[in-house]
């Protein structure tokens, strides 16, 4: 254990239902280094770190920390041992102030809280020292995502963390914010803090880490020095085979306008206008990408276009036909297909079987039904053919779709929507939370659909995805488009600024 | 001489308002704690009935009102403990458990009352808490009658609300309780014991509901009647929403509903009002509906309300 701050030895952890998240993982982290934990979703990274942070108890295995065996039974023990964690979903109470969140759980229950002035002062001092720009008096729900993340980091530092764990911290940030965060972390490491950085993004690993441990299916594939490796090798370690790093995108000539909307305005569930008058058109054989940080109105935009919530607009046309009111049946008939943002809540009915999910939109029609009765043979045959055509990994087509992995679930949605050969395909966050293999597959399908003549609207917070698939890119910020750019990788910087709300002149 | 009767009407109505609101205030302030911890206890009505009977029975047998209150408190603790075991530990559906409590409270109190006290066919009344006139202040015209000639349970509501607001907003426990109802996982990661905090929230709510029930038999009237709570437990649930889940909000909202009770009582007593009394009695409940439908958009419930953890 000589020069290790943490050594997790032979960690096993399984969950009820038989998921084996960690299968004998050994991880060593040196003091003062930034150590990346790289792996696909479901590789066991978050579970491993949750064990270190006291959220889960391992089935077996030992943890050594600062040269001693460490028994952690709760997060309280972790905090007492100066381990801090910034979770992917922030662990902040939205209705409390920053300062209240920082001291939450730190006092005995009967204590009257009368030292908040001192807490505020200390937070301000730390905020200045680390350049975090955090106001202790603000209510957390009024802060932007980036600010909330800085509060999380400050919370860990306030509790005196020597080891800071960050779980996919850049997933919610603009490129500039990410850049800033990575620099900040390097700063912290230089001050002697040890950082474990969970990610599945290769560029980040290369940019920020000293060493990297790759996990796959709950096991360690290997630990390497970042300077001795490259993205291609890391990707191979992560996936277990060669990965196509770049998609082949054929040149196409866009045809006539398939979908257009003028001055669309949409309110969110709270009644606030979150899409504030946007207009665009999508043509045949074209992918129009909408970039932006999540939460800038993309969700509502997609729902309104798909006819799932009300929106106001001056004009909307699909395949030349005027759309005047919310009518899903008609949109469907005119050839709209929708791959929704949240497959588990909208795209699929989780307790239903794979076969049932495949015919969710067509079960009333021949050949799946006749005279009001379902024809199970036809449904099963169809499902089997689709499953093999799209190589979806299922045990049995009658099993609950909830048991499938995220990637395979998404493949079901994509297969179902594309089977109808849509004129207009609305795709929102098609590869979020799925593994590299499935991502590659879904992206290829989208491009194939484009080449076959569909008009495609792609909404994604993943800039790399937007640039890889789109023919034109619109950048969305606070419900408006900041401008249009071609998918030229040289323009990523500008797009990032536009995502943060800056007006940028882009010369074509 | 038009003014005097109007003033007298107002004076007696306002005094009655606070009296009528008292049981609701206890139950509603308690429920604020329960719901702020993320648990919805719709069994208030049943727990109030149990408290009303326990208080009455012990006070009647011993002749000691304080022992009666203590008995109500213990009955609340026991009810709350059972409720918490089912909803927090077993993670049963909170609505179902709450509904069960309403039925149990109704059945148990009626059964015990009939077996023990209604054999003789006479009403067995006790000597309830008497009004405590505050020396000096109670002689102020108008205000004296409205504010300073009440029994101890009525005065107690103010102490309760001040204390409740202090605990909820100024102590570490209050902070933990609020965070557990909003984002239990975040609370968990900071080392807060989520189930224990919710147990305490449920217990506070059940004890106060039982005391509210007991205030009906020990202070407001002098006897137990089957179903004496008559929907006040449900009104308290509405009051919590209307009062935006804060102790002071619950206090003022309870007074609003108390005023509807007081108004219908006064109207019943006026011979020139020709509305059948059954309609007047329905007034507080109708008012609940109207108020809830029209005015409750402004506040948001605790995010984790009704959701078991983990």
């Amino acid at each position: 254990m000589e020069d290790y701050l943490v050594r997790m030895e032979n960690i096993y952890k399984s969950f009820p239902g038989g998921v084996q998240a960690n299968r004998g993982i050994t991880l060593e982290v040196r003091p003062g280094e930034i150590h990346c934990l790289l792996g696909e979703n479901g590789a066991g990274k978050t579970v491993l770190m949750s064990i270190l942070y006291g959220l889960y108890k391992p089935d077996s295995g030992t943890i050594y920390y600062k040269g001693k065996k460490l028994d952690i039974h709760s997060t309280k023990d972790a905090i007492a041992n100066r381990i801090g964690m910034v979770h992917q979903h922030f662990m902040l109470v939205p209705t409390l102030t920053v300062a209240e969140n920082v001291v939450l759980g730190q006092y005995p229950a009967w204590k009257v809280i009368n030292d908040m002035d001192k807490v505020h002062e200390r937070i301000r001092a730390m905020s200045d020292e680390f350049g975090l720009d955090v106001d202790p008096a603000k209510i957390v729900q009024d802060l932007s995502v980036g600010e909330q993340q800085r509060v999380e980091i400050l919370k860990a530092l306030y509790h005196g963390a020597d080891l800071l764990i960050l779980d996919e911290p850049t997933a919610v940030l603009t490129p500039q914010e990410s850049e800033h965060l990575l620099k900040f972390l390097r700063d912290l490491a230089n001050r002697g803090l040890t950082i474990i950085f969970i990610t599945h993004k290769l560029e980040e690993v290369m940019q920020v880490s000293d060493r990297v441990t790759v996990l796959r299916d709950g096991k360690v594939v290997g630990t390497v020095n970042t300077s001795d490796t490259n993205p291609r090798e890391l990707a191979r370690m992560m996936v277990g085979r060669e990965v196509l790093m770049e998609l082949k995108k054929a040149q196409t000539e866009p045809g006539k306008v398939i979908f257009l909307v003028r001055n669309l305005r949409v309110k969110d569930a709270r009644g606030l206008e979150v899409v504030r008058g946007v207009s665009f058109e999508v043509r045949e054989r074209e992918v129009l990408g909408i970039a932006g940080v999540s939460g800038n109105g993309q969700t509502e935009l997609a729902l309104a276009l798909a006819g799932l919530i009300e929106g106001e607009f001056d004009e909307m046309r699909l395949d030349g036909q005027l759309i005047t009111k919310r009518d899903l049946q008609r949109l469907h008939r005119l050839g709209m297909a929708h791959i929704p943002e949240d497959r588990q809540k909208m795209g699929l009915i989780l307790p239903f079987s794979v076969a049932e999910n495949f015919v969710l939109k067509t079960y009333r029609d021949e050949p799946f039904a006749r005279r009001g009765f379902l024809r199970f043979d036809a449904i099963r045959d169809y499902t089997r053919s689709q499953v093999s055509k799209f190589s979806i990994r299922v045990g049995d087509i009658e099993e609950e779709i909830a048991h499938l992995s995220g990637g395979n679930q998404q493949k079901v949605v994509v297969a179902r929507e594309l089977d109808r050969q849509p004129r207009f395909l609305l795709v929102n966050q098609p590869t979020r939370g799925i593994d590299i293999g499935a991502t590659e597959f879904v992206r290829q399908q989208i491009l194939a659909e484009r080449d076959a003549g569909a008009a495609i609207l792609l909404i994604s917070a993943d800039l790399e995805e937007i640039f890889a698939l789109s023919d034109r890119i619109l950048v969305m910020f606070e419900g408006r488009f900041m401008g249009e750019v071609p998918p030229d990788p040289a323009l990523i910087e500008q797009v990032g600024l536009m995502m943060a709300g800056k007006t940028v002149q882009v010369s074509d | 001489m038009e003014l005097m009767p109007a003033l007298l009407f107002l004076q007696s109505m306002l005094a009655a308002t606070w009296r009528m609101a008292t049981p609701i205030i206890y139950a509603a302030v308690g429920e604020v704690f329960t719901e702020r911890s993320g648990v919805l206890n719709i069994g208030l009505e049943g727990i109030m009935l149990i408290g009303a009977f326990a208080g009455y029975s012990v006070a009647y047998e011993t002749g000691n009102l304080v022992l009666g209150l203590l008995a109500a408190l213990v009955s609340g603790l026991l009810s709350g403990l059972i409720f918490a075991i089912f909803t927090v530990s077993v993670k049963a559906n909170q609505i179902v458990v709450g509904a069960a409590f309403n039925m149990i409270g109704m059945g148990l109190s009626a059964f015990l009352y009939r077996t023990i006290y209604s054999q003789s066919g006479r009403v067995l009344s006790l000597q309830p808490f008497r009004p405590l006139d505050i020396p000096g202040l109670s002689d102020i015209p108008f205000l004296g009658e409205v504010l300073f000639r009440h029994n101890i349970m009525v005065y107690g509501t103010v102490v309760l609300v001040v204390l409740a607001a202090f605990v909820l907003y100024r102590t570490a426990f209050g902070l933990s309780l609020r965070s557990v109802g909003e984002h239990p996982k975040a609370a968990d990661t900071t080392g807060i014991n989520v189930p224990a905090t919710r147990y305490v929230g449920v217990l506070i709510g059940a004890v106060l509901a039982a005391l509210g029930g007991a205030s009906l038999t020990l202070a407001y009237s002098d006897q137990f009647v089957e179903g004496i709570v008559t929907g006040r437990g449900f009104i308290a649930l509405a009051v919590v929403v209307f009062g935006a889940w804060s102790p002071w909000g619950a206090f003022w909202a309870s007074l609003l509903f108390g005023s509807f009770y007081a108004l219908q009582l006064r109207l019943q007593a006026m011979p020139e009002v020709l509305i059948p009394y059954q309609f007047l009695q329905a007034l507080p409940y109708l008012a609940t509906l109207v108020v809830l439908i029209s005015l409750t958009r402004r506040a948001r419930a605790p995010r984790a309300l009704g959701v078991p953890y983990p």
Side-chain angles (χ1 to χ4, degrees):
Chain A
M1 279 110 270
E2 336 64 57
D3 56 347
Y4 296 117
L5 181 76
V6 190
R7 180 177 155 85
M8 300 180 80
E9 203 171 82
N10 233 352
I11 303 286
Y12 280 86
K13 174 72 187 171
S14 57
F15 289 98
V19 179
Q20 294 195 308
N22 289 171
R23 302 190 289 174
I25 292 183
T26 297
L27 172 74
E28 293 170 333
V29 181
R30 294 175 186 153
E33 74 168 342
I34 298 183
H35 194 112
C36 269
L37 213 49
L38 178 71
E40 301 201 286
N41 285 292
K45 306 168 299 223
T46 302
V47 171
L48 184 70
M49 286 302 107
S50 297
I51 289 171
L52 183 54
Y53 191 59
L55 285 168
Y56 296 135
K57 256 190 117 51
D59 301 337
S60 65
T62 332
I63 302 172
Y64 298 95
Y65 179 68
K66 296 182 180 170
K68 275 184 292 198
K69 189 167 176 288
L70 179 68
D71 276 314
I72 288 192
H73 302 288
S74 72
T75 52
K76 218 168 182 140
D77 296 342
I79 295 169
N81 280 293
R82 300 180 171 255
I83 300 173
M85 180 160 176
V86 176
H87 300 262
Q88 193 174 7
H89 302 284
F90 299 145
M91 293 299 156
L92 296 170
V93 181
T95 48
L96 301 181
T97 65
V98 169
E100 283 173 328
N101 267 289
V102 167
V103 299
L104 189 62
Q106 304 310 305
Y107 296 130
W110 55 84
K111 181 170 184 339
V112 175
I113 300 181
N114 51 10
D115 60 349
M116 281 317 258
D117 289 347
K118 271 189 225 145
V119 174
H120 280 223
E121 221 168 274
R122 208 180 135 201
I123 292 176
R124 262 189 223 105
M126 291 185 66
S127 165
D128 289 347
E129 185 191 343
F130 292 104
L132 283 169
D133 191 21
V134 165
D135 179 353
K138 283 241 174 89
I139 306 277
V140 165
Q141 62 190 0
D142 298 336
L143 301 179
S144 74
V145 178
E147 285 173 302
Q148 292 190 20
Q149 186 173 64
R150 296 203 294 274
V151 174
E152 282 278 42
I153 294 172
L154 188 133
K155 190 167 99 181
L157 296 176
Y158 188 95
H159 297 149
D162 294 330
L163 170 66
L164 185 62
I165 305 162
L166 297 114
D167 191 355
E168 308 236 356
T170 58
V172 291
L173 303 179
T174 63
Q176 278 80 7
E177 282 176 319
S178 301
E179 194 73 21
H180 197 239
L181 174 73
L182 296 183
K183 279 205 193 97
F184 171 71
L185 292 179
R186 178 45 71 193
D187 238 38
L188 284 182
N190 290 343
R191 288 166 185 244
L193 210 77
T194 309
I195 294 169
I196 302 179
F197 189 103
I198 302 178
T199 185
H200 63 254
K201 293 186 187 158
L202 302 169
E203 324 86 73
E204 278 173 14
V205 176
M206 297 309 297
Q207 192 183 342
V208 75
S209 68
D210 299 305
R211 294 197 307 150
V212 50
T213 295
V214 184
L215 298 186
R216 186 170 75 231
D217 292 335
K219 289 181 180 162
V220 174
V221 182
T223 299
V224 289
N225 291 325
T226 310
S227 50
D228 300 340
T229 187
N230 58 59
R232 183 165 286 273
E233 187 191 16
L234 287 175
R236 190 166 356 101
M237 288 169 79
M238 194 158 117
V239 184
R241 61 179 170 79
E242 277 300 324
V243 182
L244 231 57
M245 297 293 283
E246 265 162 47
L247 288 161
K248 281 190 207 71
K249 194 159 83 177
Q251 274 300 327
T252 56
E253 205 46 51
K256 62 176 176 151
V257 174
I258 297 290
F259 181 86
L260 77 83
V261 64
R262 299 266 165 260
N263 195 21
L264 175 68
R265 297 169 172 277
V266 190
K267 290 184 174 138
D268 70 0
R270 291 167 300 172
L272 304 174
E273 192 170 89
V274 289
V275 178
R276 304 174 183 179
V278 299
S279 306
F280 59 88
E281 52 192 44
V282 196
R283 294 168 177 274
E284 269 178 331
R285 289 185 295 281
E286 173 185 68
V287 176
L288 174 62
I290 294 187
V293 180
S294 296
N296 275 292
Q298 299 99 317
T299 301
E300 288 78 10
L301 173 67
L303 291 177
L305 293 181
L308 293 168
I309 58 174
E310 293 287 354
E312 285 174 38
F313 46 83
D314 294 346
E315 186 186 3
M316 192 189 291
R317 275 177 193 277
L318 177 52
D319 211 5
Q321 306 290 308
L322 215 51
I323 310 281
T324 48
K325 61 178 195 323
R326 212 158 71 84
D327 181 351
L328 279 117
Q329 297 280 342
R330 183 149 176 268
L331 290 175
H332 192 173
R333 271 201 313 279
L334 289 173
M336 178 188 282
H338 178 206
I339 298 174
E341 174 173 27
D342 188 337
R343 58 185 163 271
Q344 304 211 327
K345 280 190 190 138
M346 253 187 289
L348 300 168
I349 302 182
L350 291 182
F352 280 20
S353 73
V354 176
E356 284 165 332
N357 272 290
F358 255 109
V359 295
L360 271 187
K361 292 193 171 168
T362 45
Y363 66 90
R364 296 182 207 80
D365 311 333
E366 295 264 5
F368 304 130
R370 189 166 290 163
R371 291 183 209 95
F373 289 94
L374 291 176
R375 300 180 63 226
F376 294 102
D377 287 345
I379 294 172
R380 275 194 287 266
D381 288 346
Y382 169 74
T383 303
R384 281 200 195 94
S385 73
Q386 289 294 93
V387 162
S388 71
K389 182 171 155 200
F390 288 91
S391 52
I392 301 169
R393 267 194 284 167
V394 288
D396 177 10
I397 57 167
E398 301 295 341
E399 85 177 295
E400 273 182 40
I401 201 151
H403 298 157
L404 267 57
S405 74
N408 281 304
Q409 288 179 353
Q410 186 71 343
K411 280 183 175 180
V412 172
V413 177
V414 170
R416 185 183 67 208
E417 296 300 320
L418 298 190
D419 191 46
R420 298 172 27 230
Q421 288 158 343
R423 302 285 294 139
F424 175 51
L425 177 61
L426 173 58
V427 195
N428 193 1
Q429 301 274 29
T431 59
R432 189 167 63 175
I434 64 178
D435 54 82
I436 290 197
T439 298
E440 211 182 323
F441 172 85
V442 168
R443 289 179 182 171
Q444 275 165 356
Q445 290 297 323
I446 290 172
L447 284 184
E449 216 46 44
R450 156 189 178 261
D451 297 343
I456 297 172
L457 182 69
L458 168 71
I459 302 175
S460 178
D462 183 344
L463 260 192
E464 186 210 340
E465 175 164 274
I466 290 278
F467 273 84
L469 297 181
S470 310
D471 298 300
R472 290 188 293 136
I473 298 169
L474 288 167
V475 185
M476 198 162 179
F477 175 74
E478 292 189 341
R480 292 195 181 88
F481 290 142
M482 301 301 294
E484 185 182 322
V485 290
D488 176 355
L491 294 172
I492 285 200
E493 183 93 349
Q494 275 95 318
V495 171
L497 288 170
M498 288 157 87
M499 283 165 72
K502 308 242 169 29
T503 319
V504 177
Q505 288 300 322
V506 178
S507 48
D508 283 301
Chain B
M1 289 304 286
E2 259 310 295
L3 189 65
M4 275 316 285
L7 262 182
L8 279 176
F9 178 88
L10 190 65
Q11 173 183 302
S12 69
M13 209 195 101
L14 289 179
T17 292
W18 195 6
R19 269 200 300 281
M20 302 295 302
T22 294
I24 304 176
I25 294 173
Y26 283 98
V29 171
E31 180 73 5
V32 165
F33 278 85
T34 307
E35 295 196 11
R36 274 298 184 96
S37 80
V39 182
L40 181 63
N41 183 355
I42 65 153
L44 287 187
E45 179 88 1
I47 295 174
M48 286 179 85
L49 274 166
I50 292 171
F53 179 80
Y56 165 79
S57 174
V58 169
Y60 179 79
E61 299 295 344
T62 62
N64 187 332
L65 292 169
V66 175
L67 282 183
L69 275 185
L70 214 59
L73 190 148
V74 172
S75 78
L77 267 181
L78 285 176
S79 307
L81 194 62
I82 297 170
F83 187 89
I85 288 172
F86 276 105
T87 55
V88 181
S89 300
V90 182
K91 302 184 183 73
N93 183 302
Q94 296 172 7
I95 300 295
V96 174
V97 179
F101 262 82
N102 286 331
M103 287 184 271
I104 291 168
M106 180 66 101
L108 190 68
S109 61
F111 169 74
L112 290 175
Y113 178 73
R114 277 190 221 172
T115 20
I116 307 175
Y117 297 109
S118 71
Q119 305 293 359
S120 62
R122 293 184 297 117
V123 174
L124 306 173
S125 50
L126 48 73
Q127 190 56 248
F129 284 112
R130 268 186 255 246
L132 288 172
D133 295 358
I134 310 277
L137 295 174
S138 61
D139 296 329
I140 304 173
F142 193 79
L143 282 183
E145 173 77 21
V146 173
L147 294 177
F148 302 112
R149 290 185 189 176
H150 291 291
N151 62 59
I152 188 154
M153 294 304 285
V154 177
Y155 294 134
T157 57
V158 179
V159 180
L160 171 71
V161 178
V162 171
L163 197 66
F166 182 80
V167 170
L168 198 56
Y169 299 114
R170 291 276 177 272
T171 66
F173 165 72
L175 188 61
S176 304
L177 186 93
R178 286 182 284 140
S179 67
V180 161
E182 284 292 333
H183 196 337
K185 195 158 185 210
D188 197 1
T189 59
T190 67
I192 291 170
N193 186 334
V194 176
T197 308
R198 289 191 163 173
Y199 262 80
V200 177
V202 169
L203 287 177
I204 291 175
V207 164
L208 289 176
L211 288 180
S215 78
L216 282 169
T217 49
L218 302 182
Y220 178 71
S221 80
D222 57 0
Q223 52 184 277
F224 184 84
V225 179
E226 282 179 31
I228 190 171
V229 179
T230 57
R232 286 178 176 86
F234 294 107
I235 300 239
L237 286 173
V239 157
V240 172
V241 178
F242 186 50
W245 288 271
S246 89
W248 278 107
F251 181 78
W252 294 116
S254 299
L255 285 177
L256 178 67
F257 285 101
S259 74
F260 292 125
Y261 277 102
L263 180 66
Q264 65 94 0
L265 274 185
R266 293 303 121 186
L267 290 178
Q268 272 190 55
M270 290 166 73
E272 60 270 35
V273 177
L274 292 175
I275 306 168
Y277 75 92
Q278 289 91 341
F279 285 99
L280 291 175
Q281 280 180 338
L283 182 69
Y285 309 99
L286 273 177
T288 313
L289 276 179
V290 172
V291 165
L292 274 185
I293 292 166
S294 54
L295 288 171
T296 49
R297 291 245 163 155
R298 64 208 175 96
R300 201 185 45 74
R303 261 184 205 118
L305 182 60
V307 186
Y309 181 85

